[in-house]
Amino acid sequence: DSEEEMKPKKARRGRPPKYGSSQSSPMPNTPRPNPVPSYQATTPVIKPEPGQEETLVCLMCPETLKVDTNARFHYSVHYYDANAFISLLKPEDLKDGKAQDEIGRVHKYTCPHEGCTRRKMGYKEMCVHLATAHQQLRQLMMEDTRPGIKEVLNRLYPQEIFSAVKVKQEKGVPLPFAPSAPEVDDSEDVDDPTEAKVEAPKVFKAAPPRVFSVIPKPEVKTEGTSLAPRVDKIHNCLLCNGPGKSSKDGRKLNLGSGLQELKYHYSVCVYNEGGLSTFIDPGQGSLKAEELEEYGAKFRYKCPFPNCSKNQGRNKAIGYKEYAIHCGVAHHQIEKWMVANMRPGLEEVYAAVKIAREEESMEMVDMPEVVVEEMHTCFICEGKEREGRNLSFDGSMVYQTRYHYASCYYDEGAYLHKYPPGAQNMNEEGGPKDILGKEVKYHCQEKDCSVKRKMGYKEFTIHMSNEHGGLEQVMKVDHREAIRNLAGRIQK
């Protein structure tokens, strides 16, 4: 034989040697062991291809949602906007039926569930977290009786088949808390996987979330109420959609989740009919409702309730229309109007508004004395100068008004005879030569005056007019009636 034939042949790489019927297999012909029983779910989880995800259209808005990604979060936000979480987690700053600090600037909350994140969250984030991570959305939807919700619930929470695999647990280390996982019966026969017992998912109720406040708050007793959102009922405004009337804005108002918008709409309608001025004093004398100055050009208002949000920060004074509508909604004056003007169909509106107020532990009270600031434009310069616009009669602002009129009278030459400049400072026409005091200065000779420094002629005459009664004397003899009537209102 040749030398090539004596070399052993190498097996082909990547393919096992074949053994025909005439060749004996190198592997012993031993029987295969019985397969180990599997306790895994028989249905594999298949990740959908991009663009082939299961979708559904939201019942509360026209947005299309992906069932496996954003649908639960999306519905949780809708339930939050409907105030469905108020009874589940009452905010520390509940006012007007909702949390004032939604993003956690002052009040922060932590999840009460063991094993969950300890991160502090704002009120809105905490509610959505409980809904999506701890099955509260499922509970809300189970208690929601609106058409179509049950079908959405079945799609978001289908009947799941859980694995019966036994998890090895180390000593002293508890299993993570998972409220959505089923309990496994450890007494099952491991030789018979068909007897694995599957229980329905359980929803665990935990202690209330911990709240961290920047400002200490007194403890508030929370009454247990249902987690279900207030049942929505459509209502058409009885004023702008009454007999012979039709208004698009007054249709499809909501007696449930849209109650705040309904109160605002009725406040606007009642205001337009002149009905709020009976309960909310305009402070404009004996003018009729249709004669009121309502936009703040002459009369400006501040809410008389000190703790109202309208008085927080640097909020400006507002006109009567905005003020009246605000008091109708935020301070329950629209409810008083309903009591005094009850009519067929208004009973259910009043009942819904009353229940919502009582749930917030608010009382329907009479309005305090009106806080109004009367404004006007200077009758001399007629507002040509910016300082002459929006002059006030308010006690803290009347000094600026007096100073402006004293300055305007100087420009008119009203002080030449009352406060003559003297021969040393008089020109040929009888006016002062030096008004700024560069050469000639004057000083006040009134006993109790606190101004001791010397002044120029212009400053001196305005000072005497504003501080020592000269302004009132000049105004009382003015040929303009509006200015004569003004003299008594701007006295110091």
Side-chain angles (χ1 to χ4, degrees):
D1 295 334
S2 65
E3 188 177 346
E4 293 291 332
E5 293 176 352
M6 294 298 292
K7 290 181 179 180
K9 294 183 178 180
K10 296 181 180 180
R12 294 183 181 179
R13 187 176 296 177
R15 182 183 298 177
K18 297 182 179 179
Y19 302 98
S21 58
S22 61
Q23 298 177 346
S24 61
S25 171
M27 299 295 293
N29 189 14
T30 56
R32 293 184 178 180
N34 293 329
V36 179
S38 173
Y39 299 96
Q40 299 290 341
T42 57
T43 304
V45 178
I46 302 174
K47 186 176 180 180
E49 294 293 332
Q52 298 181 359
E53 297 92 345
E54 183 182 0
T55 61
L56 58 85
V57 177
C58 178
L59 295 178
M60 304 177 189
C61 72
E63 186 170 344
T64 301
L65 312 173
K66 295 179 181 179
V67 173
D68 296 326
T69 55
N70 66 337
R72 294 187 187 185
F73 177 85
H74 183 88
Y75 270 97
S76 298
V77 175
H78 275 304
Y79 277 101
Y80 176 85
D81 293 339
N83 280 344
F85 293 94
I86 291 294
S87 54
L88 169 67
L89 174 59
K90 185 175 181 180
E92 291 294 299
D93 54 350
L94 179 65
K95 195 171 186 180
D96 295 334
K98 62 180 182 180
Q100 303 301 304
D101 178 21
E102 293 185 321
I103 62 176
R105 287 193 179 96
V106 177
H107 302 288
K108 297 182 184 294
Y109 306 76
T110 57
C111 182
H113 294 278
E114 268 186 63
C116 193
T117 177
R118 296 289 92 193
R119 184 172 62 84
K120 297 175 183 179
M121 295 174 262
Y123 180 75
K124 183 174 183 178
E125 184 182 1
M126 186 74 252
C127 291
V128 175
H129 169 79
L130 292 174
T132 55
H134 300 295
Q135 299 284 311
Q136 293 302 330
L137 174 62
R138 181 181 184 184
Q139 182 176 342
L140 290 174
M141 299 186 84
M142 289 174 64
E143 297 176 357
D144 195 336
T145 58
R146 287 178 289 181
I149 294 294
K150 184 175 181 181
E151 289 74 11
V152 175
L153 172 65
N154 292 335
R155 295 189 66 183
L156 296 185
Y157 297 94
Q159 185 66 31
E160 301 173 357
I161 302 176
F162 294 92
S163 171
V165 176
K166 187 174 181 180
V167 180
K168 182 179 179 181
Q169 180 180 354
E170 296 182 9
K171 293 183 179 181
V173 181
L175 289 174
F177 180 80
S180 60
E183 295 183 352
V184 179
D185 188 359
D186 291 332
S187 63
E188 63 182 350
D189 185 358
V190 297
D191 292 331
D192 186 2
T194 61
E195 293 185 1
K197 186 176 181 181
V198 178
E199 294 186 2
K202 293 184 178 181
V203 177
F204 291 82
K205 293 183 178 179
R210 296 174 63 195
V211 183
F212 297 85
S213 299
V214 177
I215 302 174
K217 292 280 185 176
E219 182 179 356
V220 181
K221 185 177 179 182
T222 305
E223 299 181 359
T225 53
S226 172
L227 284 180
R230 190 179 285 113
V231 179
D232 292 342
K233 184 175 181 181
I234 300 303
H235 170 81
N236 292 331
C237 177
L238 301 175
L239 300 181
C240 62
N241 279 281
K245 298 181 180 179
S246 178
S247 173
K248 184 178 180 181
D249 293 338
R251 300 175 196 158
K252 297 184 179 180
L253 301 175
N254 197 315
L255 290 174
S257 60
L259 194 60
Q260 196 73 4
E261 290 77 9
L262 179 140
K263 289 172 63 177
Y264 178 84
H265 178 85
Y266 264 96
S267 296
V268 173
C269 279
V270 173
Y271 176 86
N272 291 336
E273 291 190 353
L276 286 183
S277 59
T278 304
F279 307 96
I280 306 170
D281 181 16
Q284 299 186 24
S286 58
L287 296 177
K288 297 180 181 178
E290 60 272 14
E291 299 172 344
L292 295 175
E293 193 284 303
E294 56 184 1
Y295 296 111
K298 187 176 181 181
F299 294 93
R300 295 182 180 179
Y301 299 78
K302 288 189 176 181
C303 184
F305 293 92
N307 296 326
C308 179
S309 60
K310 282 285 187 182
N311 293 326
Q312 307 302 318
R314 300 180 62 182
N315 289 331
K316 296 181 179 180
I318 54 180
Y320 178 70
K321 182 174 183 178
E322 183 179 352
Y323 165 72
I325 293 173
H326 162 75
C327 294
V329 178
H331 302 298
H332 317 294
Q333 298 307 301
I334 190 61
E335 189 176 342
K336 295 184 67 176
W337 176 87
M338 291 179 182
V339 173
N341 295 271
M342 195 59 66
R343 61 190 71 180
L346 195 60
E347 296 90 346
E348 64 174 358
V349 181
Y350 169 69
V353 172
K354 180 182 178 182
I355 291 173
R357 173 178 56 80
E358 291 175 347
E359 286 179 351
E360 299 175 12
S361 301
M362 303 289 288
E363 295 183 3
M364 185 170 59
V365 297
D366 293 333
M367 289 292 297
E369 184 179 355
V370 61
V371 180
V372 57
E373 179 183 7
E374 185 176 352
M375 317 294 293
H376 75 286
T377 299
C378 176
F379 294 113
I380 298 177
C381 69
E382 297 179 347
K384 293 177 182 178
E385 299 293 334
R386 181 179 178 182
E387 293 77 9
R389 307 166 197 163
N390 301 324
L391 297 175
S392 175
F393 294 108
D394 186 69
S396 60
M397 304 293 291
V398 72
Y399 180 84
Q400 296 181 13
T401 301
R402 290 177 56 86
Y403 183 86
H404 177 81
Y405 272 101
S407 299
C408 282
Y409 272 122
Y410 175 86
D411 294 336
E412 282 195 337
Y415 301 136
L416 287 176
H417 298 289
K418 189 170 184 62
Y419 308 111
Q424 186 182 357
N425 193 30
M426 186 179 296
N427 57 25
E428 296 178 356
E429 297 176 355
K433 294 188 294 184
D434 177 17
I435 65 173
L436 299 179
K438 293 180 180 180
E439 298 178 358
V440 182
K441 296 183 181 294
Y442 303 79
H443 68 273
C444 181
Q445 298 180 356
E446 296 290 333
K447 285 185 179 181
D448 299 329
C449 183
S450 60
V451 180
K452 303 301 181 183
R453 59 182 176 82
K454 295 182 178 181
M455 300 168 272
Y457 178 76
K458 179 177 180 179
E459 184 182 1
F460 169 73
T461 55
I462 293 176
H463 167 79
M464 294 298 295
S465 175
N466 188 25
E467 297 292 340
H468 302 299
L471 179 62
E472 286 84 354
Q473 296 173 11
V474 173
M475 295 182 87
K476 288 179 180 178
V477 296
D478 196 292
H479 64 280
R480 289 160 288 203
E481 181 180 1
I483 295 180
R484 294 198 302 272
N485 296 335
L486 200 65
R489 302 193 62 185
I490 63 172
Q491 289 182 347
K492 294 179 60 178

